[in-house]
């Protein structure tokens, strides 16, 4: 998953007003401080990449790259905090492989949309009840729901990297990755909706306004992102840019379209992050195949480079900022019970949604229990939860925001270090490494879309089961619609190219429990 990062290096002029230095000295001092800050950031990036390579080479999976980057940021930030340094840094779906994503589209949507909503509500309600029963620090109900929304954003970068190294089932990888991409969009929309509800004075209109604001944020951001993606596909299909002497122009336009989507959504008062996620998915699925071969290779390498830099830097920054920020550790009970509540909410999310998905599938294509356990275990919290918590620290009154931020910080550190470090052991215990029981020949022959078969003699299981099967058929119809109409219309070819972007190693492309 790609994250858009904007790095700004600044230097607060604390203390200069009382005893101003000579005017000529200020620019030089600021330039020096900014240079030291940039040098520090680059040094941490280099150290993280080198350390990650050493860990991979020696197959030491107990300290994944993301955990190492987080620790480096924590150590450097702690040293900077102790030394009272003046340097201050602040920072404000293109790598998703489309074949596994669309082949598991119904399940991914169920986990990411319905599951995230369930997890947010369960977490918020449990935190509120914990406050009422004096188990933990009491927050207003809407603020509990805000906390539930932000802490439901998963970021399984650590788990996915180990999935790639050890070679797990491609469906499990697609479910974890796809859920985390759409999960971010859902969590952001829910958080913004709850924040708007909190700001309203008329409590009687909260429910209807909450539904409207959520639909406006989520559907509006999704629509703007998908729309920009489709426009880019048509532009590259008919503009005739796929010739050698226009390769630079082709690549520049391709890189600029996602940022255009981001700024368009922000200008409309929507979520730029949600918009750019869907633009990336649409451009990967349609626009990418309209590029020339040389441009495809370049943008693949370019976005892979950006993704590696962004993922490494964001964990370094989190560690650095965690060490530098002011925290409120006076409510340890809130942190302890919040960890328990999010574990419960994650379990309700995964197992209930898996039950609904399996009700709509034939028995031989259901999500196995060991994959459900792996999906539950993979619910790490990371950059998105941290960013939303940092925002809540500035929005919420008194110590509420600080308490939420400190709790989120503790959860991020614990999940990244403990869960990330034990992922390899978990995969071995669940026996999901190198699963060769299923073949993907049919998947390749049918462009990744295998329509489900329903046996006449199978029991219906009631009206709910029949409705779920109808929904499942509709997702299969969507894949047929995409293959037969959307792909030919938005691309210059009818056959899908092999994925050259974000593909897993060959030993991982095994087994598809198909929709």
């Amino acid at each position: 998953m790609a994250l858009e990062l904007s790095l700004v290096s600044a230097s607060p002029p604390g203390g200069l007003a009382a005893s101003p230095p000579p005017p000529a000295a200020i620019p030089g001092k600021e330039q020096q401080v900014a240079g030291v800050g940039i040098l520090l950031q680059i040094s941490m990036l280099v150290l993280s990449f080198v350390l990650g390579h050493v860990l991979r080479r020696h197959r030491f999976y107990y300290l994944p790259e993301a955990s190492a980057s987080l620790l480096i940021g924590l150590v450097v930030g702690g040293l900077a905090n102790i030394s009272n340094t003046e340097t201050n840094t602040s920072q404000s779906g293109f790598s998703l492989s489309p074949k596994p994503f669309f082949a598991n589209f119904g399940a991914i949507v169920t986990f990411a949309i319905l599951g995230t909503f369930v997890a947010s509500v369960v977490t918020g309600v449990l935190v509120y009840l914990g406050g009422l029963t004096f188990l933990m620090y009491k927050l207003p109900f809407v603020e509990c729901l805000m906390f539930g929304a932000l802490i439901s954003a998963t970021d399984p970068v650590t788990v996915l990297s180990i999935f790639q190294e050890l070679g797990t089932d491609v469906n499990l990888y697609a479910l974890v990755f796809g859920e985390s991409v759409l999960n971010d969009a859902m969590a952001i929309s829910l958080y913004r909706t709850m924040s708007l509800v909190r700001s309203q004075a008329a409590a009687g209109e909260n429910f209807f306004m909450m539904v409207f604001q959520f639909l406006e944020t989520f559907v509006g951001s999704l629509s703007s992102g998908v729309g920009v993606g489709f426009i880019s596909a048509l532009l590259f299909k008919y503009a005739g840019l796929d010739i050698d002497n226009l390769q630079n122009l082709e690549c520049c336009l391709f890189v600029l379209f996602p940022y255009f989507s981001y700024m368009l959504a922000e200008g409309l008062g929507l979520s730029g992050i949600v918009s750019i996620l869907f633009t990336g998915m649409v451009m990967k699925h349609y626009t990418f195949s309209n590029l020339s071969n040389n441009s495809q290779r370049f943008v693949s390498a370019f976005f892979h480079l950006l993704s590696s830099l962004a993922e490494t830097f964001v964990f370094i920054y989190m560690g650095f900022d965690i060490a530098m920020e002011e925290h409120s550790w006076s409510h340890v009970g809130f942190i302890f019970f919040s960890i328990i509540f999010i574990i419960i909410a994650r379990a309700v999310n995964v197992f209930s949604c898996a039950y609904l998905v399996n009700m709509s599938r034939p028995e031989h294509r259901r999500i196995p229990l060991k994959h459900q356990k792996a999906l539950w275990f993979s619910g790490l919290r990371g950059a998105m939860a941290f960013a939303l918590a940092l925002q809540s620290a500035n929005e919420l009154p008194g110590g509420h925001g600080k308490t939420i931020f400190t709790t989120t910080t503790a959860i991020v550190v614990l999940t990244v270090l403990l869960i990330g470090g034990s992922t390899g052991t978990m995969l071995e215990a669940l026996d999901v490494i190198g699963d060769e029981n299923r073949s993907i020949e049919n998947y390749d022959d049918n462009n990744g879309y295998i329509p489900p078969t329903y046996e006449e003699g199978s029991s219906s299981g009631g009206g709910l089961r029949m409705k779920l099967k109808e929904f499942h058929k509709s997702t299969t119809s969507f894949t047929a619609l995409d293959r037969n109409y959307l792909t030919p219309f938005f691309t210059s070819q009818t056959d899908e190219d092999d994925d050259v972007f974000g593909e897993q190693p060959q030993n991982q492309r095994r087994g598809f429990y198909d929709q």
Side-chain angles (χ1 to χ4, degrees):
M1 178 189 356
L3 294 172
E4 188 206 358
L5 297 175
S6 171
L7 178 64
V8 179
S9 295
S11 167
L16 294 180
S19 179
I26 297 178
K29 179 65 175 178
E30 290 182 350
Q31 184 177 3
Q32 181 184 5
V33 171
V36 171
I38 294 174
L39 176 63
L40 182 63
Q41 295 157 20
I42 295 176
S43 300
M44 289 190 292
L45 279 173
V46 172
L47 179 59
S48 296
F49 282 119
V50 172
L51 181 58
H53 172 72
V54 172
L55 293 173
R56 283 198 311 272
R57 185 174 181 178
H58 291 83
R59 299 182 179 275
F60 188 80
Y61 300 120
Y62 296 102
L63 185 64
E65 291 178 70
S67 301
S69 301
L70 183 65
L71 287 176
I72 290 173
L74 279 170
V75 172
V76 176
L79 294 175
N81 197 16
I82 293 173
S83 62
N84 295 320
T85 179
E86 292 182 352
T87 302
N88 179 42
T89 57
S90 60
Q91 83 187 48
S92 303
F94 190 80
S95 56
L96 181 62
S97 186
K99 288 183 180 180
F101 177 82
F102 282 102
N104 292 278
F105 182 73
I108 290 173
V109 169
T110 303
F111 283 112
I113 306 301
L114 177 61
T116 303
F117 177 79
V118 170
S120 300
V121 173
V122 170
T123 303
V125 170
L126 289 178
V127 169
Y128 182 69
L129 293 177
L132 290 179
T133 55
F134 304 102
L135 287 176
M136 55 199 301
Y137 184 61
K138 184 178 179 181
L139 294 177
F141 184 63
V142 175
E143 294 181 9
C144 291
L145 292 178
M146 290 175 64
F147 174 68
L150 70 87
I151 206 63
S152 297
T154 60
D155 188 10
V157 172
T158 303
V159 173
L160 291 174
S161 65
I162 297 177
F163 279 10
Q164 288 183 334
E165 291 288 335
L166 299 180
T168 59
D169 184 274
V170 70
N171 292 278
L172 178 60
Y173 186 95
L175 284 176
V176 175
F177 195 9
E179 183 216 3
S180 68
V181 171
L182 297 183
N183 162 279
D184 283 350
M186 185 69 176
I188 293 169
S189 300
L190 284 173
Y191 178 84
R192 292 184 58 159
T193 300
M194 296 303 162
S195 179
L196 289 171
V197 169
R198 177 185 165 275
S199 64
Q200 297 297 316
E205 301 177 1
N206 277 354
F207 176 75
F208 298 101
M209 189 273 296
M210 177 176 63
V211 174
F212 175 78
Q213 292 291 351
F214 171 76
L215 293 176
E216 180 185 29
T217 301
F218 186 76
V219 178
S221 303
L222 183 152
S223 301
S224 65
V226 171
V228 171
F230 281 144
I231 291 172
S232 70
L234 293 175
L235 173 66
F236 282 93
K237 179 179 180 180
Y238 294 109
L241 299 174
D242 54 343
I243 56 179
D244 291 339
N245 60 340
L246 292 180
Q247 179 182 345
N248 289 340
L249 175 61
E250 188 180 29
C251 295
C252 289
L253 288 176
F254 192 90
V255 171
L256 288 175
F257 261 99
Y259 294 96
F260 173 78
S261 170
Y262 179 89
M263 298 310 300
L264 175 64
E266 290 293 326
L268 295 174
L270 304 172
S271 173
I273 296 178
V274 175
S275 179
I276 200 173
L277 286 174
F278 285 99
T279 299
M281 287 189 288
V282 172
M283 291 186 68
K284 172 63 186 296
H285 193 54
Y286 299 106
T287 312
F288 183 74
S289 62
N290 293 333
L291 299 176
S292 62
N293 292 333
N294 289 335
S295 295
Q296 286 184 356
R297 286 191 291 269
F298 174 79
V299 298
S300 296
F302 179 74
F303 278 104
H304 181 72
L305 172 64
L306 285 184
S307 176
S308 299
L309 287 172
E311 288 174 357
T312 303
F313 180 79
V314 76
F315 279 97
I316 291 176
Y317 173 78
M318 281 197 299
F320 189 87
D321 200 60
I322 287 171
M324 295 292 290
E325 286 286 339
E326 180 183 351
H327 297 278
S328 175
W329 300 103
S330 57
H331 304 291
V332 180
F334 189 91
I335 299 174
F336 175 77
F337 285 105
S338 293
I339 294 174
I340 295 177
F341 293 156
I342 66 170
I343 293 174
I344 296 173
R346 179 68 180 173
V348 173
N349 168 4
V350 171
F351 295 112
S352 63
C353 288
Y355 177 77
L356 294 176
V357 170
N358 286 340
M359 285 183 67
S360 69
R361 291 182 172 185
E363 184 174 357
H364 64 285
R365 290 178 176 172
R366 293 176 180 173
I367 304 175
L369 181 61
K370 61 182 181 180
H371 286 192
Q372 298 178 36
K373 293 178 180 178
L375 193 62
W376 170 65
F377 190 87
S378 303
L380 285 76
R381 272 58 176 181
M384 193 58 64
F386 179 79
L388 293 176
L390 195 58
Q391 182 178 342
S392 71
N394 299 321
E395 288 182 355
L396 300 182
H400 296 181
K402 284 292 183 182
T403 300
I404 289 177
F405 176 67
T406 303
T407 302
T408 305
T409 296
I411 292 172
V412 168
V413 173
L414 289 175
T415 56
V416 170
L417 296 181
L418 296 183
I419 297 180
S422 59
T423 298
T425 304
M426 177 271 296
L427 293 177
E428 293 177 354
L430 294 177
D431 192 25
V432 294
I433 298 177
D435 185 6
E436 299 185 8
N437 294 329
R438 295 182 183 270
S439 170
I440 62 164
E441 292 180 1
N442 292 334
Y443 161 78
D444 289 330
D445 293 340
N446 293 279
N447 294 324
Y449 308 113
I450 306 178
T453 57
Y454 298 95
E455 301 175 2
E456 295 293 335
S458 60
S459 59
S460 63
L464 176 60
R465 182 181 293 272
M466 294 303 296
K467 290 181 179 179
L468 290 172
K469 287 188 175 183
E470 289 299 321
F471 170 76
H472 180 66
K473 290 180 180 179
S474 69
T475 60
T476 306
S477 300
F478 169 76
T479 60
L481 173 68
D482 172 65
R483 184 176 67 253
N484 297 327
Y485 297 100
L486 295 180
T487 297
F489 181 77
F490 287 105
T491 66
S492 55
Q493 52 196 15
T494 56
D495 296 329
E496 281 194 58
D497 292 335
D498 291 334
D499 284 345
V500 295
F501 196 19
E503 245 185 11
Q504 298 185 63
Q506 189 66 31
N507 66 338
Q508 291 170 264
R509 299 179 60 79
R510 299 171 178 146
F512 250 81
Y513 48 82
D514 306 294
Q515 292 252 88

